[in-house]
Amino acid sequence: MKATGIVRRIDDLGRIVIPKEIRRVLHIKESDPIEIFTDKEGQIVLKKYSPIGEMTTFAKQYAESLAQVSGHTALIADRDQFIAAAGGGKQMMGKTVSRQLEEKMNNRETVIAARGDRNFVNVCSEAEGDYQHQAIAPILCEGDIIGCVMLLESDSHGRMGDVEQKLVMSAAGFLGRQMEM
C-alpha cells in the first residue's frame, strides 16, 4: 500500500471526503459506487466497484467464444479497464480504457469503423494498438452503462459489417441481462 500523506477526519455523520486529486487519478466520479474492504489488522480499503468485474471469469469465457466465432480479437471492458480478452489483445488486460471509448460508452453509441474514419476510437489510453477495424457496443444493465464489448481486426483487408455489429450488440445485451439477474 502506498501512503499519500493526506489525513482526513470523520464528520459527525461518519463520512470521509476522498480528496479530489485521488478521485481524479482513480477516475472516481460523483455517484460512482465504492466497495469497502477490511482486513485483520484493522485497515480499510476503498475500491471503485465494477458490477461487471464480478463476472470476470464468465466474461473471459464469453470473449473466448466471441473470438472463436468471429475470427476477430474480442475484448470486454468495464467503465474503466479491460477485464477480458481473447483471440489476441491479451496485452490489454487490466489497462485503462481511453477517454474516447469512455465517451462512446457514456453516449451509448455502437461503433463500426475503420482506421481513418471520423468515428474510429483508440480503445486503450496506454497504447494506440495495431488494429484497423472495430465494432463496439455498450453494455447496459438496468439502464446504466457498465462497460462495452469490442471486436478488433488488425488485417487491413478484413472489414467489420452487419454481422460483427450484431455480434457485439447481442453480446452486450446478453452480458447486461446476466448482470440484472
Side-chain angles (χ1 to χ4, degrees):
M1 207 174 321
K2 182 177 157 186
T4 63
I6 300 170
V7 176
R8 293 285 195 234
R9 295 200 183 279
I10 296 175
D11 72 7
D12 58 340
L13 295 176
R15 298 176 294 197
I16 301 171
V17 174
I18 300 170
K20 191 176 200 173
E21 300 80 25
I22 293 174
R23 286 180 288 153
R24 186 179 309 125
V25 168
L26 298 177
H27 297 73
I28 297 172
K29 298 172 194 75
E30 185 179 317
S31 81
D32 279 350
I34 302 294
E35 210 167 0
I36 302 169
F37 299 91
T38 60
D39 67 10
K40 292 178 184 175
E41 288 84 42
Q43 293 181 335
I44 298 172
V45 177
L46 303 176
K47 182 179 175 192
K48 188 172 178 181
Y49 176 70
S50 169
I52 199 165
E54 293 178 2
M55 294 181 53
T56 302
T57 304
F58 181 72
K60 287 177 183 176
Q61 292 171 347
Y62 201 97
E64 287 287 340
S65 178
L66 195 56
Q68 196 172 40
V69 167
S70 69
H72 302 295
T73 297
L75 295 169
I76 299 173
D78 64 14
R79 293 182 55 96
D80 299 311
Q81 66 183 353
F82 296 95
I83 62 164
K90 299 274 187 201
Q91 73 279 6
M92 305 275 262
M93 286 294 296
K95 292 197 175 166
T96 307
V97 300
S98 70
R99 287 209 184 269
Q100 289 177 308
L101 181 57
E102 196 176 342
E103 283 178 29
K104 295 291 183 186
M105 281 191 271
N106 289 337
N107 294 334
R108 300 169 186 247
E109 291 181 48
T110 298
V111 176
I112 303 293
R115 187 172 293 283
D117 293 352
R118 68 174 179 80
N119 62 337
F120 188 84
V121 177
N122 288 324
V123 296
C124 184
S125 63
E126 297 175 33
E128 188 172 301
D130 65 345
Y131 51 92
Q132 301 297 313
H133 304 278
Q134 60 189 192
I136 304 168
I139 302 170
L140 301 172
C141 177
E142 297 176 351
D144 295 328
I145 313 280
I146 61 169
C148 67
V149 177
M150 291 162 265
L151 288 176
L152 305 176
E153 178 58 57
S154 57
D155 182 8
S156 60
H157 299 295
R159 299 206 50 89
M160 299 278 178
D162 290 340
V163 171
E164 288 80 8
Q165 181 178 14
K166 288 177 181 166
L167 277 172
V168 293
M169 289 175 73
S170 66
F174 180 78
L175 290 169
R177 283 189 297 282
Q178 289 302 305
M179 289 303 302
E180 290 173 1
M181 295 180 169

